[in-house]
Amino acid sequence: MKRAIIHTVYLLFLGIAFSSITLFSQQVITGTICDCSTGKPLQGANILVSGSLQGAVSGPGGSFNLTVEPDRKVRLRLSYIGYQNLQQTLTRDPVDDTIGISLCLTPDVHQMEELFVTATRTPQKPDEIPARIASIPSKKVMEMPVNNTDEVLQLIPGIKFDRDFGIFSKNSSVTMRGLNGSYRALILLDGVPLNKTDGGGINWNRLIPDNIERIEVLKGPVSAVYGSNAMSGVINIITEQPPSLLEGEVKAYYGTYNTFGGLLKLGGSLFSQDRGFYYNLSLFYRQGKGYITEPDATRDNLDTNRYLKEGSVSGKIGYQFNTRNRLELEYNYYNDIRGDGTKIYEPLGSYNRYPTHFVRLSTQNGWGKYSLLINGFYQNENYLRQNETRSQKRSGKYTLYETDSKRVDYGLWVNLTNQFRPNQAITVGVDLKQGSVDASDTYYTSSDILTNKGKMSFFALFSEYELTLFKQKMSIIAGLRWDIAWFTDGSFTIGYPSTLSEFMTSYPSDFSDETWNAISPKLGLRYNFNQRQSIYLSYAHGFRPPILDDMCKNGNISKGFKMANPKLKPEALDNIEVGATVTFFKRLSLEPSGYLSFGRDFQYFVATGDSVFTGGDNLKPVMRRENISRVRILGAELTATLPIIRNLTLIANYSFNDSRIIKFDTTANPGKELTGKFLMEVPGNQAFAGVIYSPNRLSTSITFRYVGQQWINDENTAQNSAYFTIDMKASYTFFNKLTAGITVQDLLNRQWTDSKGQLSPGRFIMLNLSYRFTKKTNQR
Amino acid sequence: MNYLPMTPEVHTRYVFLNISVWVSLFLFSLASCQKEVSYVPPNLTFRTDSGFVSHDTTLAIGERIMVGIEAQGEGVNITYLHIGWNNGEDQTVLDSGMNQPVLRYEIEITKTANEIETWNFLVMDRNHSFRNRSITLRKSASSQYGPILSYANILLGAQTNEDAGSFFSLGAGHRYFQEEAYQKQDSIDLIYYFDEYEATLSSPSEADAPALFGGPTGLANWTIKNETRYDTTAFAPTDFDLSGNDSLILAAYEPVNLKRKAKFILPGMVISFRDPKGNLGLILVKEVISGPGGQILMDIKIQQ
C-alpha cells in the first residue's frame, strides 16, 4: 500500500514536471496583419504554422496570438481572400519567449474588382458602403449585346439611356433615379469628371466598351464627395489596367448598314519586385453608311442617311514605385463625324463632330496610415456642326451655318485619407476646376457671326468620416462639402448683323460676373447581418450647376427666342433612401431600394412678357431660364441575380418612378401652370431581364429591355409609347486566341419612333472577329 | 504577379516602344492644328447686256430700270446675296441664302423721290469671303409725277365669305371667288383673309395663304403666283383722298420695308404696295368686319 502511494505520487510528479517543461518551452507569437496598400487592419486573415495543424485567425484590429512548439525557426503561412498568400519565417529569440511581428498582405490585382472606389474616392469594400452601388466588370461588359458603353447600363435599374439611332446617334443621354437631363448625373473616367461646364453632359461615343476594366455606379446624390452634377448619382468608367504580361488584341467588325471597323490593343508591364513601368495603347475606328430616320410618310428629297465615321487613340503609361505609390498618365483623342439626316447642297449635308483631347495625370501615395490621391485632368472638346435647312414656311428659305464651340475643362482633385484607427478613417479633400466655352455660329447664307463666351471656376473643400462597429458589421459614413463657383467673362456678340439677328442687338451682350455656393451633407448607415443579408439607410444632398449655354448664349429655340441668364443658380436635391440585400438559399440575390427625393430651384423656360420678330413675319415670345420649380421623386428599384447552374446566370431588374413638379411659380409665367405635371422623358416603369451562359470558350447572352411610356413635353399633352427590345450576343473562342462573335440588337426588328418622330435603326447585326496574343515569359 | 525578367535588352525594347507611341500621339495632335488660310473673294459684276443698267445714272421720279448681277466663287459656291438701299442710312432690301456655283440676279428698281440713293450688292461665298458693288441713282431735275388709276369701294370677302370673293385683279379692277381666280391666275394681285386675330392683305405667292385657300383650286395648286408687297404709312385718309397723281405714292415708297403681307389691318389705315408689275400704289382701308366670314372695304390708287 505504501509502495503504491509513493509510485502514484512519483508518476504525478513526472507528469507535472513534463508538462511544466513543455509549457515553459512553448513560444507565443503576437502580431497584427494589415493591407499593404491601404494600411487597414485585416480581420479574419488565416495564420497557419507550416507543417502543423496549429493556426489562428486575426481578430479586430488585425491582431492575433499564436502559441507554437519551441522550434528555433517557425514558418508562418498567411492567407486572406483577395490578397496574395504570404510565407514568413520567424527565428526564435533565445531570451524572450514572445515574438511580436507586424505583417501586411498585398492585394491580389485579379480580385481588385471586389473593392469599390467611387463611393469615397478610396478603395472600399462594397459591404461597407451605405448606398445602392453596382459594379460591372469587363467580362460582363463583353458578354452584353451592346455596341456602345452606355447601353451596358441597362443592367442597372433606375438608369435610362436614350440612343434612338444606335451607333448613329450623335450622343446618348443617360439619366438616373427619376430625373431627366444628362447633366444631372456625374460621369467619371478613371475618377476624373467628364461633364462639360458648357452643356453639363458628356459624349458617350468616346468611351469604347473594349477598353473598359469595369463600370462602377453609385446611385443617389453624391455631391458631398464630388460636388457638381452628382445629383442623381455617379458613374465611374474605369479603363483597363495594363496586363502583367505583354498582351495584345486585333479585332475587326462588320455589320448592318455597311458598318465596319477595327480595334488594336497592346499593353504590358516591366515589373521587378513590385516596381516598374506599365502601359497600354488602344486604337479604334468605325464607319457606317447609316440609314434614313425620317418615316416614309413624311420623307422628302432633303432626307438622307445618318452616316458615321469615328476613331480614337487611347493610351496609359505609369510607373509603380511600390504597392502604395504610383504615377500614371492617360491620354485619349477622339474624333468623329455623324450625319444629321439632311442633305441639300453640301456634299456632307448637316453633320456633327466632336474632336476631343483628354489628359489625366494621377499620383497615388501611401505612407503609414495616410493615403494621398492627386488627379489632374484636362479635357478639350471642339464641337463642330454644319447645319443646312430649308424652311417649309418661309418660302423655302435656305440657311447654312457652322458652329465652332471650344469647351475646355481642367482641374485638380486632391484627397488625403488617414486611417487613424483600425475602424475609423477620415478623408479630406480640395477640388479645383475651371470650365469655359468660346463658341461661334458663322452663317454662310447671311452675314451674321454670333459668338458666346463664358467661364466658370470652381473651388471646393470636403471631408468624410468613416466608422465601422461591431466587428465591421455596421458602417457609418458622414460627409460634408462646400462648393463655391464664379461665373466670369460672359459675353454674347453679333458680328455683321442681318435681318436674321438684328433684333438680338437690343438684348444684353455683356453679362455680369456672378457667384454661388452650395453645401452638401450626407449621412449613411449600413448593417450587415451576415455576408448575404444587409440593410442600409442614407440621406444625401446633390446639386447641379447652371450651364454656360444658358448663362451666356442668346438664340432661337423651338419655343421662341431664348435670352441668356447669368444669374441662374444651381438646382438642388435632397434624397433619403433605404435598401437591402437579401440572399435566399445561397443563390437568389435580391437588392431592393426605395427613395424619396425633393428638388428645388429646378430650371424651366419662362416667358419674359416680351415678343420679337425673329427675322421673319412671325412674332415669337422671348424666353429665359429661371430657377422656378420644386419637384418630388418617389421611386423603387429591384435587382435579382440567380446563378441557375454553373456558368448560367439570370439577371433581372425593375424600376418605378413617380417624378412630378409639386410647385411651379406661375407669377413668373402667367398662363403656364405645370404644378402636378410629370417630368418629361422619365418613364414610370423600366424593366430588364437577361440570361448569360458562358461555359469555357462559348459566351452567349439574350436580353430583354422594356421602357415604359414617357411624356415628351412639360405640359404633358403628348406621350411616347412604351417599347421593348430583345438583343442577343454569341461568341466562341478557338485555341484560346481566335474569337468569332455576333451581336444582334432589336432581334424582332421592332422599330420605334422617338419624341421627334424619327425612326430607330431596327434589327442591327454586328459580326466581329478578334485575335488575342500573349507573350509568354519566365516567372520569377 | 508574373514578372518579365529585367534584362537590358527587354528593358530597352519596350522603353523604345513606349517612347515611340507617345511621340506619335504628340505629333498626331500637332498635325490636327490648323493654320490660318486666306481666300480669294468671289467675282461680282453688273450685267451690261441690253435692258440693264450697270453704272451710276440719273433718273426721273418713278422711272424704272433693270439691274442685273452675276457672281461666281473661286472654286466654291456662292451662298449669300445682300441687296442694300442707302438713302442716307443703310437698309436691307434683300437677304437671300443659296448654295450654287454661279449666281445671276435681276431686280427692277423704281426711282424714289430722294435726291440720291445708292443700291449696294454684296455676295458671299462658301469660304466666307465677300465682294460688293454699288450703283448710285440721282433724281433728274426735270422729274414729273405721273397719272394714277383709282378704284373706289372695293369689297373683298375673307376666306369663308360666300357673298364676296377674296381675290382681286388690279389690271381688271375685278373681284373673284377662288374657283374663278384659279382660271385667271396671271391677273390676280391681291388676296384678303382673316387669320386668327388678324385682317390680312396678301397675294398668291405669300406662304401662309395656301393653308386658308385649299382644295383642287387652292393656291397650292396654282402654277402662276403673283407677288404684291406691302408697307404701312403714316398718311391720313385725307392725304389719300387729296392725292391726284403718284407723288404721295412715291413719297410712301421705300423698297426696304415691303413685306409679303399687311397684317392687323384697321379702318383708317393707308397701306403702300407694289404690284407684280412693279407699279406702286396706296390702299385706304375704310371698313373691316372681322372673322373668316368677314370682309374689307377699301379704296385703291395705283400708278398708271
Side-chain angles (χ1 to χ4, degrees):
Chain A
M1 183 64 173
K2 186 179 179 182
R3 181 176 279 183
I5 293 172
I6 291 171
H7 193 65
T8 304
V9 169
Y10 175 70
L11 286 174
L12 279 172
F13 173 77
L14 277 178
I16 291 168
F18 181 75
S19 299
S20 299
I21 291 169
T22 304
L23 280 171
F24 288 147
S25 298
Q26 281 187 328
Q27 187 167 46
V28 178
I29 301 170
T30 65
T32 56
I33 301 174
C34 69
D35 180 314
C36 289
S37 61
T38 64
K40 281 189 176 180
L42 294 176
Q43 180 181 353
N46 293 303
I47 308 105
L48 190 66
V49 178
S50 294
S52 79
L53 296 176
Q54 287 175 294
V57 176
S58 64
S63 61
F64 70 93
N65 280 301
L66 189 60
T67 303
V68 297
E69 293 301 322
D71 290 330
R72 180 165 176 76
K73 283 186 180 181
V74 177
R75 180 170 289 179
L76 301 179
R77 187 165 179 274
L78 285 73
S79 63
Y80 192 67
I81 292 177
Y83 293 83
Q84 299 176 20
N85 294 342
L86 175 68
Q87 295 200 3
Q88 184 75 34
T89 302
L90 307 174
T91 304
R92 182 185 177 185
D93 189 322
V95 175
D96 193 350
D97 286 333
T98 302
I99 298 176
I101 53 173
S102 184
L103 301 169
C104 74
L105 295 177
T106 304
D108 187 335
V109 295
H110 296 295
Q111 297 190 41
M112 277 297 288
E113 58 256 29
E114 292 188 6
L115 297 180
F116 196 87
V117 299
T118 305
T120 58
R121 300 202 201 179
T122 58
Q124 269 195 308
K125 289 182 186 171
D127 61 7
E128 290 179 0
I129 301 170
R132 180 54 70 210
I133 63 171
S135 183
I136 308 174
S138 63
K139 183 171 182 291
K140 190 66 62 68
V141 171
M142 301 316 295
E143 286 169 347
M144 286 287 290
V146 300
N147 292 306
N148 293 91
T149 298
D150 47 285
E151 294 169 329
V152 177
L153 299 170
Q154 62 189 292
L155 282 167
I156 302 172
I159 295 184
K160 171 177 165 275
F161 69 91
D162 281 318
R163 184 176 275 280
D164 297 321
F165 312 130
I167 61 171
F168 303 100
S169 296
K170 69 176 182 179
N171 202 351
S172 176
S173 170
V174 173
T175 55
M176 298 166 68
R177 284 279 177 102
L179 284 172
N180 52 15
S182 53
Y183 37 64
R184 295 185 173 122
L186 177 65
I187 314 300
L188 307 175
L189 179 64
D190 291 321
V192 299
L194 293 182
N195 296 66
K196 295 176 288 268
T197 308
D198 179 45
I202 81 153
N203 181 6
W204 282 93
N205 290 329
R206 287 176 46 201
L207 305 171
I208 313 301
D210 297 79
N211 293 344
I212 293 174
E213 174 80 18
R214 70 180 182 278
I215 301 174
E216 292 187 354
V217 179
L218 191 150
K219 288 187 279 183
V222 202
S223 290
V225 178
Y226 293 103
S228 297
N229 302 104
M231 181 186 250
S232 59
V234 176
I235 299 173
N236 190 4
I237 312 294
I238 297 170
T239 57
E240 276 187 324
Q241 301 304 310
S244 53
L245 303 172
L246 172 64
E247 283 185 12
E249 181 181 4
V250 178
K251 189 184 249 185
Y253 311 94
Y254 183 78
T256 311
Y257 303 126
N258 202 22
T259 303
F260 61 90
L263 172 79
L264 169 66
K265 296 200 308 186
L266 190 67
S269 50
L270 293 166
F271 269 58
S272 175
Q273 292 181 338
D274 290 334
R275 188 170 69 178
F277 283 101
Y278 58 89
Y279 68 95
N280 65 18
L281 176 71
S282 169
L283 302 169
F284 171 79
Y285 178 78
R286 181 164 64 185
Q287 72 175 62
K289 192 178 163 192
Y291 69 103
I292 298 177
T293 56
E294 189 70 32
D296 283 336
T298 50
R299 196 174 291 184
D300 60 27
N301 60 351
L302 304 185
D303 295 309
T304 188
N305 287 355
R306 285 183 188 256
Y307 59 87
L308 86 89
K309 278 187 190 176
E310 61 181 347
S312 74
V313 176
S314 301
K316 193 187 286 186
I317 184 169
Y319 188 83
Q320 181 164 303
F321 299 93
N322 52 53
T323 55
R324 296 187 70 188
N325 294 274
R326 69 164 62 180
L327 177 68
E328 187 171 282
L329 176 68
E330 179 178 1
Y331 173 76
N332 169 266
Y333 175 72
Y334 174 83
N335 201 348
D336 71 335
I337 179 167
R338 278 177 161 84
D340 217 4
T342 300
K343 181 176 180 302
I344 305 176
Y345 296 113
E346 290 292 308
L348 296 175
S350 296
Y351 63 75
N352 297 281
R353 292 182 56 200
Y354 294 90
T356 306
H357 294 272
F358 171 82
V359 180
R360 174 181 64 85
L361 181 64
S362 300
T363 73
Q364 292 179 43
N365 303 101
W367 68 97
K369 294 178 182 176
Y370 292 91
S371 301
L372 175 69
L373 174 64
I374 302 175
N375 273 320
F377 56 91
Y378 172 85
Q379 178 173 264
N380 183 334
E381 179 187 274
N382 184 193
Y383 171 54
L384 301 166
R385 172 166 172 74
Q386 175 172 285
N387 187 67
E388 54 174 1
T389 56
R390 189 180 292 287
S391 164
Q392 290 180 353
K393 273 195 85 173
R394 294 167 60 188
S395 303
K397 181 179 167 68
Y398 174 72
T399 303
L400 171 66
Y401 72 87
E402 289 181 349
T403 297
D404 184 340
S405 178
K406 295 175 183 55
R407 303 148 175 180
V408 178
D409 294 85
Y410 60 91
L412 189 71
W413 282 12
V414 181
N415 52 279
L416 176 69
T417 301
N418 180 8
Q419 185 79 43
F420 61 95
R421 290 263 159 81
N423 66 333
Q424 296 182 64
I426 189 161
T427 300
V428 294
V430 58
D431 291 349
L432 301 165
K433 183 182 163 185
Q434 182 168 87
S436 65
V437 63
D438 183 349
S440 65
D441 288 340
T442 303
Y443 283 79
Y444 290 83
T445 48
S446 65
S447 54
D448 311 80
I449 300 178
L450 314 179
T451 61
N452 68 288
K453 296 182 185 180
K455 201 178 288 183
M456 194 119 69
S457 307
F458 302 85
F459 173 79
L461 297 170
F462 71 93
S463 177
E464 192 166 73
Y465 171 70
E466 301 159 40
L467 170 68
T468 56
L469 298 168
F470 310 126
K471 299 182 183 179
Q472 297 180 334
K473 277 182 177 289
M474 176 181 282
S475 45
I476 297 172
I477 294 181
L480 186 67
R481 179 178 166 119
W482 173 67
D483 286 83
I484 185 168
W486 298 267
F487 168 69
T488 58
D489 302 337
S491 71
F492 179 78
T493 59
I494 305 167
Y496 311 106
S498 71
T499 52
L500 183 80
S501 63
E502 266 176 337
F503 70 96
M504 294 189 199
T505 56
S506 60
Y507 291 95
S509 59
D510 281 313
F511 305 110
S512 55
D513 294 350
E514 300 290 336
T515 304
W516 54 263
N517 66 82
I519 293 179
S520 307
K522 81 167 185 185
L523 179 64
L525 183 149
R526 181 185 177 114
Y527 188 81
N528 298 315
F529 298 96
N530 50 50
Q531 281 187 342
R532 298 188 180 93
Q533 332 288 342
S534 66
I535 188 169
Y536 76 88
L537 176 67
S538 73
Y539 158 77
H541 177 89
F543 72 91
R544 74 106 175 165
I547 58 177
L548 290 174
D549 190 78
D550 288 332
M551 301 176 83
C552 59
K553 184 176 182 182
N554 299 327
N556 287 321
I557 57 174
S558 58
K559 299 171 194 274
F561 172 67
K562 178 193 91 166
M563 270 180 65
N565 184 359
K567 295 188 183 301
L568 280 170
K569 294 287 181 248
E571 298 177 337
L573 187 87
D574 291 285
N575 178 74
I576 54 171
E577 68 178 88
V578 61
T581 301
V582 183
T583 306
F584 297 98
F585 314 114
K586 298 184 183 179
R587 297 178 72 79
L588 174 62
S589 167
L590 298 177
E591 294 181 347
S593 308
Y595 53 90
L596 176 64
S597 305
F598 289 96
R600 53 184 163 78
D601 293 329
F602 270 48
Q603 296 171 9
Y604 280 85
F605 277 114
V606 169
T608 62
D610 290 337
S611 298
V612 67
F613 284 103
T614 58
D617 294 331
N618 296 314
L619 212 55
K620 287 191 176 179
V622 178
M623 319 284 292
R624 186 176 56 219
R625 269 214 187 274
E626 300 274 8
N627 301 94
I628 59 167
S629 79
R630 290 177 178 261
V631 302
R632 184 220 67 208
I633 299 154
L634 179 67
E637 300 163 351
L638 175 67
T639 300
T641 308
L642 175 65
I644 300 172
I645 58 173
R646 189 163 177 245
N647 298 317
L648 178 65
T649 304
L650 170 68
I651 303 171
N653 68 53
Y654 169 77
S655 66
F656 163 78
N657 279 296
D658 185 303
S659 306
R660 296 179 199 239
I661 299 169
I662 55 174
K663 186 178 176 189
F664 190 78
D665 186 353
T666 53
T667 55
N669 221 359
K672 182 170 180 174
E673 171 61 276
L674 297 184
T675 303
K677 302 295 182 185
F678 290 92
L679 293 189
M680 59 183 273
E681 296 174 347
V682 177
N685 300 278
Q686 285 192 95
F688 169 86
V691 176
I692 300 175
Y693 180 57
S694 300
N696 297 327
R697 301 185 180 89
L698 175 68
S699 173
T700 60
S701 63
I702 185 162
T703 64
F704 166 86
R705 175 179 174 235
Y706 170 81
V707 178
Q709 280 182 325
Q710 44 192 310
W711 297 103
I712 59 173
N713 56 29
D714 293 327
E715 294 78 11
N716 290 177
T717 56
Q719 269 186 320
N720 255 359
S721 303
Y723 67 89
F724 71 89
T725 65
I726 295 177
D727 307 326
M728 64 139 297
K729 181 172 185 175
S731 67
Y732 191 85
T733 302
F734 304 88
F735 315 113
N736 288 331
K737 287 176 189 286
L738 191 67
T739 302
I742 178 171
T743 300
V744 183
Q745 293 184 316
D746 194 4
L747 190 65
L748 302 181
N749 199 23
R750 293 171 56 94
Q751 271 187 314
W752 67 88
T753 54
D754 69 358
S755 58
K756 294 184 176 67
Q758 300 292 293
L759 292 170
S760 66
R763 186 183 303 121
F764 189 83
I765 300 172
M766 189 77 92
L767 306 172
N768 67 77
L769 187 66
S770 68
Y771 176 76
R772 187 185 285 266
F773 58 90
T774 304
K775 182 175 174 61
K776 293 187 186 298
T777 65
N778 296 324
Q779 294 188 9
R780 289 177 64 89
Chain B
M1 180 177 288
N2 296 320
Y3 303 118
L4 288 171
M6 185 69 88
T7 64
E9 178 193 324
V10 170
H11 186 261
T12 303
R13 186 189 308 166
Y14 291 110
V15 166
F16 178 74
L17 176 62
N18 265 290
I19 292 171
S20 304
V21 164
W22 290 104
V23 168
S24 302
L25 286 172
F26 177 66
L27 291 174
F28 179 78
S29 63
L30 281 183
S32 305
C33 298
Q34 293 182 348
K35 296 179 184 173
E36 288 279 339
V37 179
S38 60
Y39 298 105
V40 176
N43 292 319
L44 173 61
T45 55
F46 287 112
R47 288 181 64 177
T48 57
D49 41 324
S50 173
F52 290 93
V53 174
S54 60
H55 49 80
D56 297 347
T57 190
T58 300
L59 302 172
I61 296 175
E63 185 175 354
R64 296 179 209 165
I65 58 170
M66 287 297 296
V67 176
I69 59 164
E70 186 167 310
Q72 189 168 10
E74 287 290 323
V76 292
N77 283 357
I78 299 293
T79 57
Y80 175 53
L81 169 65
H82 169 85
I83 301 177
W85 181 69
N86 186 309
N87 65 338
E89 65 178 286
D90 285 321
Q91 299 178 76
T92 299
V93 176
L94 177 72
D95 258 344
S96 181
M98 67 230 36
N99 197 327
Q100 57 201 60
V102 178
L103 168 67
R104 292 187 183 88
Y105 190 84
E106 301 167 7
I107 183 172
E108 184 180 77
I109 295 174
T110 303
K111 183 70 187 75
T112 67
N114 295 296
E115 289 294 330
I116 295 180
E117 59 191 271
T118 301
W119 288 77
N120 297 307
F121 298 84
L122 180 145
V123 294
M124 180 168 69
D125 66 13
R126 189 61 180 86
N127 290 330
H128 218 263
S129 299
F130 295 86
R131 178 87 73 181
N132 65 291
R133 298 270 184 261
S134 60
I135 280 184
T136 298
L137 306 177
R138 288 182 166 74
K139 186 179 79 174
S140 164
S142 60
S143 288
Q144 290 181 346
Y145 293 110
I148 57 175
L149 196 62
S150 295
Y151 297 107
N153 298 319
I154 301 298
L155 180 74
L156 295 182
Q159 60 267 31
T160 62
N161 188 312
E162 294 179 357
D163 299 321
S166 307
F167 299 81
F168 189 77
S169 167
L170 287 165
H174 203 276
R175 175 185 73 206
Y176 302 97
F177 285 99
Q178 181 174 312
E179 289 69 25
E180 297 170 276
Y182 180 77
Q183 305 302 326
K184 297 178 186 301
Q185 295 177 21
D186 60 345
S187 69
I188 303 300
D189 304 303
L190 305 182
I191 299 175
Y192 172 73
Y193 61 78
F194 195 89
D195 184 11
E196 264 193 281
Y197 308 103
E198 311 163 9
T200 304
L201 277 171
S202 167
S203 63
S205 71
E206 187 263 312
D208 294 329
L212 299 166
F213 298 96
T217 59
L219 285 167
N221 298 323
W222 288 29
T223 55
I224 300 172
K225 296 183 187 179
N226 290 331
E227 179 182 85
T228 298
R229 289 207 168 221
Y230 302 88
D231 189 11
T232 54
T233 76
F235 297 145
T238 49
D239 297 328
F240 178 90
D241 291 338
L242 291 172
S243 168
N245 57 30
D246 65 355
S247 61
L248 195 68
I249 292 172
L250 288 168
Y253 173 58
E254 282 205 355
V256 299
N257 293 332
L258 295 173
K259 295 182 175 56
R260 290 191 175 89
K261 55 183 173 180
K263 304 191 298 185
F264 305 106
I265 295 173
L266 296 170
M269 287 174 73
V270 178
I271 298 168
S272 164
F273 70 89
R274 186 184 71 201
D275 81 356
K277 296 182 178 66
N279 295 316
L280 305 175
L282 292 173
I283 295 171
L284 169 63
V285 181
K286 299 169 79 171
E287 181 187 76
V288 172
I289 297 176
S290 303
Q295 62 190 37
I296 186 173
L297 182 68
M298 54 190 177
D299 291 346
I300 301 174
K301 290 184 179 180
I302 187 172
Q303 289 177 316
Q304 265 188 343

